[in-house]
Each structure stands twice: as C-alpha cells, then as structure tokens.
Amino acid sequence: NNSVVLSNQEAGYLTNDQGFRFELKQEAPITFPEARQRELDTWEMIGPYGGDILSITPHPQTADTIYAGTTNSLYITTDRGENWSLVAASTFEGIGDVGAITFDPSNSNTLYVGTALGVYKSTDGGAAWTALPHPNSSFKKVVAIVVNPYNSHVYCMIGGYSNQYDRFYYSENGGQTWINGSTNLGNQFACVSMAIHPLSGKLYAASQLGMMGAPNAVASWDGSTWTHLSSPTASYPVNDM
C-alpha cells in the first residue's frame, strides 16, 4: 500500500504513490452521513485530568490499553479510558509537555516517550524507564518520535527551537547515540508530526512548509536527506498525516 493521508486547515489529501502526487479528497468542513454525524456530535470527557492532552497512543496488541501524554505527565488506561493512572510518577509527574509516544513495531514491550526534557525509553512494557542521552543539548523538547519497522531505527524531531538549531536526529542503536539528520530541512522548518510508511519504511514530516519526505528512500534510509514533496498544500502548514 503506497497511500499516505495528510490534512491542513483547508482540506484533506491522499497520495497513492508515496508522495509524488496528491489528490484532493475533502474540502473543509468535512461532513459525515447523518447517523454518523449524530455519533460524532456526542462527546464525553473521560480524562485523564492532568493537563491538556498532547499525544495519545493505543497499545498495538491490547486494545483496552492507551497511553496519553499531557502538559504535565504520562498516563495509562487499561480499560479504554474508564480509569487513568500515572505512569512512573517519579519519572514523569511534573516533567512538562509529553508530546510523543510510540512503540517499536517489532517489539511491543519497547516504548519511546518524547518530553520537554528529552527522550525516555522502556523495554519492559512501561514498568521501568530510562532517560536516553539528549539528541540536542541546546533544546530538549521532543515533538515527534517514530520507529522504523524494518530495523528499529528511531527518528526524533526536536521542537521549541530557534532557526540556528538542528532539529532532526536518528538513532541506530535504540537511542544510545544520535546522528544529526537535519540536512535540507531549511531554516524555517518546524515539524508538528511525523509518520513512517509501514511497508516501505519511508519517513514523512508535516511542517508549516508543507510535507517533507524522501521519495527515493529505502527501508534502511537514515533520514539524512530530505525533499520537499510536490504537495498541493505547499503554501499552507500541514498539521497531521
């Protein structure tokens, strides 16, 4: 499957060739069939109540388990949101923004969490956590993390920076050391989201400049060269994909 979906404040787009051409799928505002719209019109607050929600990630194998990152801490529910509890309170409580949570696709016991103070890793399903070396000592706030399903390389995007600082880093050894991969990102680049194609291993980044990626990437691509894709949203920020 070569499909990638992205959206901005104007519309939603779909590509079936991994980013070479995009097709307008739905102009804003997006509408749904009446029965489905009634479902979407009814929302219930289920928590967690520890600050604004910045990131949310379901467990890849256990549907009842969901992790949520807030402006204050990391939470987990094991009953689909009925009850929430702090994860490793001594580590995450009061840590600031928890903006990224991701699992290693090859091992669901391995999690990475991006916080205002850097990257944390668990290899036992979230029971114990280790602070990894900082990819960038000047700015530590992590806004996005993804893991390559082919080789478990970790891709990390740093946020809250000025233009002179490098933003993208990748690790080939589980976050023990980081390599600067910011080449071709441009001085004004600011990433809000990253996604990796589950079949090809290609990496994409959503930014205020449009969609960035590597059209000629292979499964082992290290992220050191970026290309501004021929997105129909090049003049607008891309918020998610």
Side-chain angles (χ1 to χ4, degrees), residues 44-165:
E44 178 185 356
M45 177 66 72
I46 62 172
Y49 302 98
D52 296 339
I53 303 296
L54 301 179
S55 55
I56 187 165
T57 300
H59 192 285
Q61 296 179 349
T62 307
D64 292 344
T65 299
I66 304 169
Y67 286 85
T70 74
T71 51
N72 184 60
S73 194
L74 178 65
Y75 292 83
I76 186 174
T77 176
T78 57
D79 52 16
R80 302 195 180 194
E82 292 294 328
N83 298 280
W84 293 86
S85 58
L86 284 167
V87 176
S90 61
T91 298
F92 293 112
E93 188 171 16
I95 202 170
D97 292 356
V98 178
I101 308 166
T102 191
F103 287 84
D104 185 336
S106 64
N107 184 352
S108 62
N109 283 321
T110 298
L111 298 87
Y112 294 88
V113 171
T115 76
L117 299 180
V119 182
Y120 288 77
K121 179 181 181 180
S122 173
T123 58
D124 57 7
W129 295 85
T130 300
L132 298 178
H134 296 301
N136 185 322
S137 59
S138 298
F139 285 93
K140 300 175 181 178
K141 182 178 179 179
V142 177
V143 297
I145 303 176
V146 293
V147 181
N148 194 315
Y150 285 89
N151 51 30
S152 293
H153 289 180
V154 185
Y155 305 124
C156 174
M157 196 68 72
I158 305 296
Y161 48 80
S162 299
N163 292 338
Q164 69 265 32
Y165 294 104

Side-chain angles (χ1 to χ4, degrees), residues 4-5 13 16 29 34 36 48 50 90 101 116 129 131 144 148 174 180 184-185 191 204 211 215 221 225 227 229 240:
V4 178
V5 177
Y13 298 86
N16 290 309
E34 182 178 352
R36 181 57 175 155
S90 61
I101 308 166
W129 295 85
N148 194 315
N180 190 341
N184 296 339
L185 279 181
C191 173
Y204 299 90
M211 190 170 175
W221 178 61
T225 302
T227 301
L229 302 181
D240 204 352

Side-chain angles (χ1 to χ4, degrees), residues 149-208:
Y150 285 89
N151 51 30
S152 293
H153 289 180
V154 185
Y155 305 124
C156 174
M157 196 68 72
I158 305 296
Y161 48 80
S162 299
N163 292 338
Q164 69 265 32
Y165 294 104
D166 297 315
R167 288 84 67 190
F168 175 77
Y169 294 81
Y170 64 94
S171 175
E172 299 176 342
N173 55 13
Q176 295 306 306
T177 58
W178 298 91
I179 303 168
N180 190 341
S182 301
T183 305
N184 296 339
L185 279 181
N187 290 333
Q188 302 300 318
F189 182 88
C191 173
V192 294
S193 175
M194 286 197 299
I196 195 162
H197 197 285
L199 299 181
S200 69
K202 296 182 181 181
L203 184 66
Y204 299 90
S207 80
Q208 84 276 26

